Amino acid sequence: MNRKVIRAGGALIASAVLAAGLAACSSGGGGGAEGEIDTSRTLNLTLANHSWTTAMQDLVGGFTEETGIKVDINVYDDEQLAQLYNVKLNAASDEIDVMMYRPLQDAQLFAKNNWLEDLTPYVDANPDWNWEDFWQSARESLTIDDQIVGVPLASETAMMLYRTDLLEETGMEYPKTFDDLKAVVEKIHEQHPDLFAFAGRGERSAAVTQFSSFLYGFGGDWFEDGKATVDSPEAKAAYEYYGGLIRDYGPPGATDMNWPQVMGLLQQGLVAFYPEGSSNYAAAVDPENSTVKDVIGVGPIPAGKAGSKPYNITAMAVGISSSSTNKAAAWEFIKWVTSEETVLKIQQADVPGARTSALPADLLATIQGNAEIGVGYDRPYVINVAEARQYVGDPIVAAIQGGDVDAAADKSARDFQEILDHEAE
């Protein structure tokens, strides 16, 4: 497999063209609803820069060997991927066959715009592939107006990455509450002022997902009964708490940081506590890049006055572009990459999937535990998610910068309310 990696607009684009393997195969035994598969054509995969993608790329040669289907893989960072979809899918371009996306971020908008192929006929034609094996919550998040618009790839729940050696040095226990967390962070800062005792996503939109568990723990939410609630006392306290920890104990320039930047600091041993999504655990213990892989611990998000309320979501899904002219091959890939066998292999790279049967016992127990107390969304679940995230993320930035959080939250609620009112029309 030949790989070409280039930099474009600050985002990583990885392109992999895989040589053909076995002779051509047809859909016959479950190729989907589109008939014969043309193995002379290259299948175009448009994927997100995610740990799932990294793990999958190490396995995808087996797909070509099994099917004879050549694959061209292009990987984009979140913002670049959003721009690409907006341009290509709006233009009904046939350049995208298989597309990776975030269900809570994109599914409603993509379905409304008819950008996603209805996969129901494919699922119905492949009972042995077993759609029912995926978590019910994951299936529900990808079924819109009785149409299956995607297949779950990666599950994600909130976790706290931390340096076990630094915690042990404090003589304190793992924090059970937000007050405990602040106390531990303060102690580590006193002992190691050269390190960042707490770091987290600070970029306005990206920070929203990880902040959500703090918002819920404080007893807040994004909206209720059509009314924006990001200006509630609970929400304002959560904004000040999360942003304040980053402001007082985190790295400079935090408001420009998404997870790759914060993870890079953790890998260098510069961060003590870092709330992140479970799908990025592999990066924290990457033997090639993490200098502290042997002292990285994982714990639950501490509890606020409303308890511990981590998000527990389907982080990534894969679908077929409705404008694709290679849909039979696209389904063949989706069927392969979401099969129990492939999901299990990807999970062995520490990327949790959404098939119940493929989860190791301890991982399944952890996910089930979070499911009992967790919240099924990590951002405002509306059609215009991208704009909503910008608005509700403003007070996070204000808190990190030491600004007026109350005023920022009040403005955020007014701006977000316009989105809610418009979508209610």
Side-chain angles (χ1 to χ4, degrees):
M1 178 169 58
N2 298 317
R3 294 186 181 182
K4 180 173 63 177
V5 180
I6 62 175
R7 293 276 178 181
L12 177 66
I13 305 176
S15 178
V17 180
L18 307 176
L22 301 179
C25 66
S26 70
S27 61
E34 293 295 316
E36 296 293 319
I37 297 174
D38 182 1
T39 56
S40 68
R41 301 175 60 191
T42 298
L43 184 65
N44 295 311
L45 311 183
T46 302
L47 308 177
N49 182 15
H50 189 273
S51 53
W52 178 91
T53 302
T54 302
M56 184 278 297
Q57 283 182 301
D58 291 335
L59 304 172
V60 74
F63 170 71
T64 297
E65 292 176 0
E66 287 181 24
T67 65
I69 300 172
K70 294 172 291 208
V71 179
D72 184 17
I73 303 176
N74 291 282
V75 183
Y76 301 87
D77 287 336
D78 290 346
E79 293 303 317
Q80 193 176 28
L81 187 64
Q83 295 172 11
L84 177 76
Y85 283 157
N86 187 53
V87 173
K88 296 294 185 181
L89 299 179
N90 258 323
S93 170
D94 64 357
E95 297 175 22
I96 298 174
D97 296 315
V98 174
M99 49 189 290
M100 184 175 173
Y101 65 94
R102 296 166 291 179
L104 293 176
Q105 181 83 6
D106 305 318
Q108 290 197 54
L109 177 63
F110 287 7
K112 178 184 178 182
N113 291 342
N114 296 314
W115 290 347
L116 293 167
E117 182 76 1
D118 178 12
L119 300 184
T120 309
Y122 299 87
V123 170
D124 291 345
N126 291 267
D128 291 341
W129 171 76
N130 195 4
W131 173 241
E132 299 298 319
D133 186 39
F134 294 90
W135 307 342
Q136 180 178 346
S137 60
R139 286 184 278 119
E140 290 175 350
S141 69
L142 290 162
T143 303
I144 299 177
D145 295 332
D146 297 323
Q147 293 187 356
I148 299 172
V149 296
V151 178
L153 291 180
S155 63
E156 186 166 287
T157 191
M159 65 177 181
M160 184 71 76
L161 296 167
Y162 69 98
R163 287 272 302 272
T164 58
D165 55 334
L166 296 179
L167 177 61
E168 182 178 356
E169 188 177 331
T170 67
M172 304 170 75
E173 296 182 351
Y174 182 84
K176 295 181 179 179
T177 69
F178 288 151
D179 288 342
D180 293 342
L181 174 60
K182 188 172 184 180
V184 170
V185 166
E186 288 178 345
K187 185 66 173 179
I188 292 176
H189 177 69
E190 292 174 5
Q191 295 175 333
H192 298 277
D194 55 325
L195 300 181
F196 305 120
F198 183 92
R201 301 186 192 187
E203 191 278 323
R204 176 180 286 102
S205 178
V208 167
T209 55
Q210 305 312 313
F211 165 72
S212 67
S213 295
F214 293 83
L215 174 66
Y216 308 148
F218 269 91
D221 210 329
W222 310 112
F223 66 97
E224 184 177 354
D225 297 328
K227 178 177 173 54
T229 55
V230 291
D231 58 347
S232 69
E234 293 82 6
K236 289 179 178 179
Y239 280 125
E240 182 56 55
Y241 178 86
Y242 178 84
L245 284 179
I246 296 177
R247 179 185 66 238
D248 295 337
Y249 307 106
T255 56
D256 292 323
M257 290 187 175
N258 198 340
W259 77 265
Q261 291 76 38
V262 185
M263 185 62 74
L265 295 175
L266 180 81
Q267 290 173 332
Q268 296 173 52
L270 298 176
V271 174
F273 277 83
Y274 168 29
E276 187 48 71
S278 56
S279 63
N280 288 323
Y281 170 74
V285 295
D286 184 340
E288 295 184 5
N289 295 310
S290 179
T291 63
V292 290
K293 61 183 184 300
D294 295 330
V295 291
I296 292 295
V298 179
I301 301 296
K305 70 176 186 179
S308 178
K309 292 189 173 295
Y311 67 78
N312 193 44
I313 65 166
T314 301
M316 287 290 176
V318 65
I320 299 175
S321 168
S322 59
S323 299
S324 168
T325 59
N326 203 8
K327 293 173 182 174
W331 170 251
E332 198 68 16
F333 173 80
I334 290 177
K335 188 175 64 171
W336 170 81
V337 83
T338 60
S339 67
E340 182 177 342
E341 179 182 2
T342 306
V343 169
L344 181 57
K345 290 178 180 178
I346 291 175
Q347 285 182 169
Q348 289 170 345
D350 297 312
V351 183
R355 275 190 182 272
T356 301
S357 62
L359 289 172
D362 56 347
L363 181 58
L364 178 59
T366 300
I367 291 175
Q368 286 177 332
N370 274 357
E372 291 178 3
I373 61 173
V375 179
Y377 51 94
D378 62 351
R379 67 205 75 185
Y381 194 37
V382 293
I383 293 175
N384 195 353
V385 183
E387 187 176 6
R389 285 178 68 159
Q390 292 290 326
Y391 290 148
V392 303
D394 278 336
I396 300 174
V397 174
I400 294 173
Q401 295 177 337
D404 189 336
V405 174
D406 282 357
D410 290 341
K411 184 178 185 302
S412 173
R414 292 193 298 270
D415 292 337
F416 183 33
Q417 189 63 51
E418 291 185 7
I419 293 179
L420 295 173
D421 292 342
H422 177 72
E423 293 188 3
E425 293 176 355

